[in-house]
Amino acid sequence: MHFLLTGGAGFIGSHLTEQLLATGHSVVCIDNLDDYYSSDLKRSNIAPFHRHHLYTFIEGDIRNGILLESLLQKNSFDMVIHLAARAGVRPSVENPSLYVDVNVNGTLTLLEAMRQAQVTKIVMASSSSVYGNSSTIPFTEADACDRPLSAYAASKRAAELLAHTYYHLHGFDITCLRFFTVYGPRQRPEMAISQFTASISNGYPITLYGDGSTARDYTYVTDIVSGVLAAIKNLGGFNIYNIGGSAPVTLLSLIQHIEKGLGSKAVINWQPMQPGDVEQTYADLSLARKLLHYEPTISIEKGIEQYIIWFHQNNTLTML
Ligand code: NAD
């Protein structure tokens, strides 16, 4: 198949690209290498793909409708995979308008360009953050998701709602995938596992927000890629699926896994919970299991072990 992939230079996008190219698909990646974290890291994520004959990289912004429309008109894409976003919960508290601009207006610009070019199939990344502090645990897709706790969460939910209108009004086939805290090689450098691993390994203290009891449903990146591939295969109508590990881990337990993997103890700088953070995330996978045959395969022990192997090989690239 021939894919247009937005945000393909990022963490998840580079893993997905690897898999798509390895299985004979062609990928046109559009990414503006934004300043959320080092563009050098993103360039290094995609460096191996440039010599692949089925890969094209375009440095561009999803908010540029003219660029998107001409790309979509000139190519005959089978499907769009939309991962481009301003990621991260905490910075969205400080800069909400940028998050709305990229994640809502950017998504709308993409959907509209697709409509103009009559490309109507799209799989797009959403987030477990849309659940806020939902009282239904584990989180199920039937939840109203109308109490987001950050602009990031609200922007991802708004993008899902816009997607639904394109399904309803224009007959798009759209699947929104709610990813649950993704980790693995090339993870975004500001995320907890990257920060903790780099700090503990280099003998620096780590900052822990809250009392360590908050929990996240960590999902290894290859499981996320499997979820995206399953969604591509089963696209039809409008659907939302949780793609998680379905095994929440507390922050303190996560630190213990990293300490064990590195063979070093963490020095902890305790700080209060951050605004926008949720207490826990926990994916109910019933729907994804039933309709996508999705099943996470990498435990947190195995995933941290693999991440640390990668970290030791790439320590110089990881930012503190
Ligand atoms: P990432 O920041 O590594 O990748 C996002 C990519 O989008 C980056 O390469 C960035 O340069 C690009 N981008 C940002 N704004 C753009 C714009 N205006 N135009 C074109 N490209 C733009 O993040 P990631 O962790 O790989 O996340 C990928 C997707 O998955 C995002 O939609 C994110 O919201 C979602 N998600 C990620 C996680 C996670 O834990 N990593 C969890 C839930 C949802």
Side-chain angles (χ1 to χ4, degrees):
M1 289 174 75
H2 189 32
F3 292 100
L4 175 64
L5 171 63
T6 74
F11 161 46
I12 298 170
S14 63
H15 283 272
L16 180 63
T17 303
E18 215 166 71
Q19 190 58 32
L20 290 173
L21 293 177
T23 46
H25 301 290
S26 57
V27 176
V28 174
C29 166
I30 177 167
D31 195 304
N32 70 347
L33 307 173
D34 78 348
D35 63 0
Y36 182 59
Y37 62 91
S38 153
S39 60
D40 287 346
L41 284 178
K42 294 173 191 175
R43 285 184 208 284
S44 76
N45 286 345
I46 55 171
F49 309 141
H50 291 305
R51 53 178 174 269
H52 203 295
H53 68 290
L54 294 175
Y55 183 77
T56 307
F57 177 71
I58 290 157
E59 188 169 339
D61 197 305
I62 54 159
R63 291 166 292 179
N64 182 344
I66 295 167
L67 170 65
L68 286 179
E69 211 182 304
S70 98
L71 252 180
L72 285 153
Q73 299 279 11
K74 279 188 201 139
N75 293 269
S76 42
F77 292 113
D78 296 301
M79 201 181 288
V80 175
I81 307 170
H82 177 37
L83 302 182
R86 194 75 182 185
V89 168
R90 288 173 192 159
S92 79
V93 177
E94 297 304 319
N95 199 353
S97 56
L98 175 62
Y99 279 72
V100 170
D101 195 32
V102 175
N103 300 354
V104 184
N105 293 338
T107 300
L108 181 59
T109 305
L110 173 64
L111 291 169
E112 196 46 29
M114 288 175 64
R115 182 172 79 86
Q116 296 294 343
Q118 295 175 323
V119 178
T120 56
K121 295 182 188 308
I122 176 168
V123 171
M124 54 189 259
S126 187
S127 161
S128 60
S129 63
V130 301
Y131 290 107
N133 278 329
S134 169
S135 54
T136 313
I137 308 280
F139 298 160
T140 63
E141 293 87 345
D143 192 289
C145 295
D146 55 0
R147 297 284 185 273
L149 302 185
S150 65
Y152 170 71
S155 72
K156 297 303 273 189
R157 181 68 178 131
E160 290 181 351
L161 298 175
L162 281 169
H164 184 269
T165 65
Y166 276 73
Y167 154 73
H168 176 74
L169 294 173
H170 307 301
F172 276 39
D173 291 315
I174 306 193
T175 292
C176 303
L177 299 174
R178 292 178 177 163
F179 298 155
F180 283 66
T181 317
V182 190
Y183 74 105
R186 307 198 287 276
Q187 185 182 26
R188 298 199 322 258
E190 96 290 0
M191 294 186 77
I193 293 176
S194 307
Q195 288 283 322
F196 292 167
T197 306
S199 296
I200 297 170
S201 154
N202 289 291
Y204 296 125
I206 59 170
T207 302
L208 194 154
Y209 298 102
D211 63 3
S213 65
T214 55
R216 292 288 175 275
D217 192 349
Y218 294 100
T219 316
Y220 198 70
V221 66
T222 53
D223 284 331
I224 292 289
V225 168
S226 303
V228 176
L229 297 178
I232 290 168
K233 216 167 141 188
N234 292 283
L235 188 71
F238 180 79
N239 292 288
I240 296 182
Y241 296 104
N242 289 337
I243 300 293
S246 206
V249 176
T250 65
L251 198 49
L252 271 183
S253 161
L254 174 74
I255 292 165
Q256 285 160 3
H257 285 299
I258 297 173
E259 287 177 332
K260 193 169 160 220
L262 289 170
S264 315
K265 285 300 270 182
V267 178
I268 299 178
N269 167 24
W270 298 88
Q271 292 293 326
M273 277 271 285
Q274 293 275 289
D277 278 359
V278 301
E279 296 289 339
Q280 67 165 311
T281 63
Y282 185 177
D284 182 324
L285 296 179
S286 312
L287 210 57
R289 282 189 173 114
K290 189 170 162 205
L291 297 175
L292 299 181
H293 309 292
Y294 165 77
E295 191 63 50
T297 57
I298 309 284
S299 67
I300 189 76
E301 291 83 2
K302 184 77 190 154
I304 292 290
E305 198 183 299
Q306 291 184 6
Y307 177 75
I308 287 175
I309 291 170
W310 174 84
F311 170 79
H312 283 313
Q313 291 163 350
N314 295 270
N315 196 359
T316 49
L317 280 178
T318 308
M319 294 190 314
L320 278 170

